[in-house]
Amino acid sequence: MLFLGILIGILIVILLACQPVPPVSTNPVTTTAVTTTVPSSGSDDTAALQNTLNASKYLYVNRDYRVDGILTPPAGSKITFGPNGRFTRTSAGNGGGKAVLLLKNSNITVENPYIVGPNPCYWKYFDTNYTYSQYNPQLENNHAISISGGSGYVITNPKIRNVWGDAIYLAGNSKNITINNLDAACLGRSVISNVGSENVTVNGGKSYGAFWWTFNMEPWGSLFVRNYKINNFTAGWSRGQVVFSGGPDFNCQVFDVDFTNLVVTDPRGGTNDFSIAACADIMIK
């Protein structure tokens, strides 16, 4: 019986060894990497960056690109800036209403953007030294980042310098916006202007050297500002008020605005930091 068992085992091994081997494929699978960076041309890179975003909805920025036009990411895009990434607007890009980044399509994420404009900063001397940026009414809408329409925007760690307009401009009934750790200085107008958006949260950040205001809320026409939360922000010197809500076209439609832990560090002593219309629903805690 033992011999018979051994014989059967040997036959099984022989039969398994004789099974046909599947042929090796002569058509191996290939993959194509999506280009998410573009070479810097030394001139205006706006078109090349826009083409990449349109094709892949993703852009990795790790060099200095010249953006004299308006970059408009499609819906669902993501832009990530690496340690060497930067968008530079030169004086050739001056013109009314030309934001560097225009976000008007929904569900866009921008990580670590560094945007520098051509507005020079000067040192002036009053009670103490402070940074003074220039104001030009023809260029005041040349913002770093403009959000106008759509919903679902997240901007993390933006660093903004030397633009003629605002660091961030919110308008067009845009909704559901989160801005984390804003760092803005040398601005020709305001740090953040909200002239018509809702469900906006600013988490942390600091600013210095705005020609007009730090936080400006001036909805007009049928637009409104609603459910606007600013947390843990340090506001340095600005020529105008830290919080301003009013103006000749102001429509009083400002609802549920809360500042929590707003720190004002004005080197001149911080006088007249707030100018808020009586009808505006703004709480500073």
Side-chain angles (χ1 to χ4, degrees), residues 158-221:
K159 182 179 180 181
I160 312 297
R161 297 288 187 272
N162 298 89
V163 296
W164 284 103
D166 303 333
I168 298 177
Y169 179 76
L170 309 173
N173 198 27
S174 49
K175 298 178 176 66
N176 304 318
I177 301 164
T178 301
I179 302 165
N180 298 313
N181 301 316
L182 171 63
D183 179 357
C186 293
L187 310 168
R189 202 169 74 167
S190 300
V191 178
I192 300 179
S193 287
N194 188 342
V195 300
S197 63
E198 63 177 307
N199 302 334
V200 178
T201 301
V202 178
N203 292 316
K206 60 183 179 180
S207 66
Y208 193 88
F211 187 93
W212 286 112
W213 308 284
T214 304
F215 294 97
N216 173 34
M217 288 160 278
E218 288 186 85
W220 53 276

Side-chain angles (χ1 to χ4, degrees), residues 79-82 85-86 110-115 155-159:
I79 303 175
T80 301
F81 284 67
R86 170 170 150 168
V110 184
E111 297 177 330
N112 310 314
Y114 181 22
I115 299 175
I155 304 171
T156 300
N157 300 324
K159 182 179 180 181

Side-chain angles (χ1 to χ4, degrees), residues 124-175:
K124 299 289 185 181
Y125 299 88
F126 285 88
D127 297 332
T128 185
N129 298 351
Y130 67 95
T131 305
Y132 195 91
S133 49
Q134 295 187 83
Y135 173 70
N136 185 325
Q138 282 72 46
L139 302 177
E140 67 171 355
N141 291 317
N142 284 14
H143 311 304
I145 300 174
S146 178
I147 301 178
S148 183
S151 174
Y153 302 101
V154 178
I155 304 171
T156 300
N157 300 324
K159 182 179 180 181
I160 312 297
R161 297 288 187 272
N162 298 89
V163 296
W164 284 103
D166 303 333
I168 298 177
Y169 179 76
L170 309 173
N173 198 27
S174 49
K175 298 178 176 66

